[in-house]
């Protein structure tokens, strides 16, 4: 099992299996909420230990469709951890252990700031990667 938490410890969860992959989104929204590197998990693999009630959801206006979750106490970004989808991304920064996973892709590189250099060989896409 892989444990995860927020900075203040009010939100705690564990994953029953390792995430399927990780990617980095360079869009301005993901950068602003501090969830650029995301790990994809299955809903059935997420086990809440405590603090689910401390997770807040920010719902953006159109054209954006994906909400972003965070700890309502310390603000730690949690990705889409309240999603009802079968698979969804959570913020890799909320995981407490090394996953032994490498970033598989970079998306929205067209919005990447000039001060950030991509320093790996993962494929890069101007928008979402093809399905």
């Amino acid at each position: 099992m892989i444990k995860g938490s927020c900075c203040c410890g009010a939100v705690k969860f564990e994953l029953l299996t390792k995430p399927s992959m990780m990617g980095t989104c360079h869009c301005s929204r993901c950068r602003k909420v501090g969830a650029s590197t995301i790990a994809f998990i299955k809903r059935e693999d997420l086990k809440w230990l405590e603090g689910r009630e401390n997770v807040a959801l920010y719902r953006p206006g159109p054209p954006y469709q994906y909400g972003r979750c965070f700890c309502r106490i310390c603000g730690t970004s949690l990705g889409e951890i309240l999603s009802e989808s079968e698979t969804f991304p959570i913020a890799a920064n909320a995981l407490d252990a090394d996953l032994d996973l490498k970033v598989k892709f970079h998306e929205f590189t067209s919005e990447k700031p000039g001060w950030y250099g991509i320093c790996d060989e993962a494929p890069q896409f101007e928008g979402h990667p093809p399905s």
Side-chain angles (χ1 to χ4, degrees), residues 17-75:
T17 61
K18 186 167 122 176
S20 60
M21 71 172 150
M22 283 195 326
T24 299
C25 182
H26 299 278
C27 81
S28 61
R29 280 191 55 221
C30 286
R31 285 186 284 117
K32 286 184 187 294
V33 299
S36 289
T37 300
I38 49 182
F40 292 85
I41 66 168
K42 293 178 184 173
R43 183 168 35 117
E44 65 196 33
D45 291 336
L46 175 65
K47 179 180 175 188
W48 287 97
L49 300 178
E50 63 183 84
R52 189 175 192 280
E53 70 279 2
N54 291 320
V55 177
L57 172 62
Y58 167 69
R59 293 187 191 276
Y64 301 108
Q65 56 183 326
Y66 301 110
R68 297 293 186 257
C69 299
F70 58 93
C71 172
R72 65 177 74 242
I73 297 169
C74 68

Side-chain angles (χ1 to χ4, degrees), residues 80-91:
E80 297 177 33
I81 202 163
L82 293 180
S83 177
E84 293 298 321
S85 298
E86 291 302 312
T87 62
F88 52 87
I90 63 170

Side-chain angles (χ1 to χ4, degrees), residues 61-129:
Y64 301 108
Q65 56 183 326
Y66 301 110
R68 297 293 186 257
C69 299
F70 58 93
C71 172
R72 65 177 74 242
I73 297 169
C74 68
T76 296
S77 180
L78 301 167
E80 297 177 33
I81 202 163
L82 293 180
S83 177
E84 293 298 321
S85 298
E86 291 302 312
T87 62
F88 52 87
I90 63 170
N93 58 278
L95 298 173
D96 298 334
D98 186 2
L99 296 178
D100 192 31
L101 283 176
K102 302 290 182 207
V103 169
K104 294 268 189 195
F105 65 89
H106 293 271
E107 64 181 4
F108 290 96
T109 57
S110 59
E111 296 183 36
K112 180 185 74 61
W115 51 259
Y116 184 84
I118 296 174
C119 301
D120 62 33
E121 302 300 318
Q124 299 179 27
F125 303 94
E126 288 190 10
H128 286 295

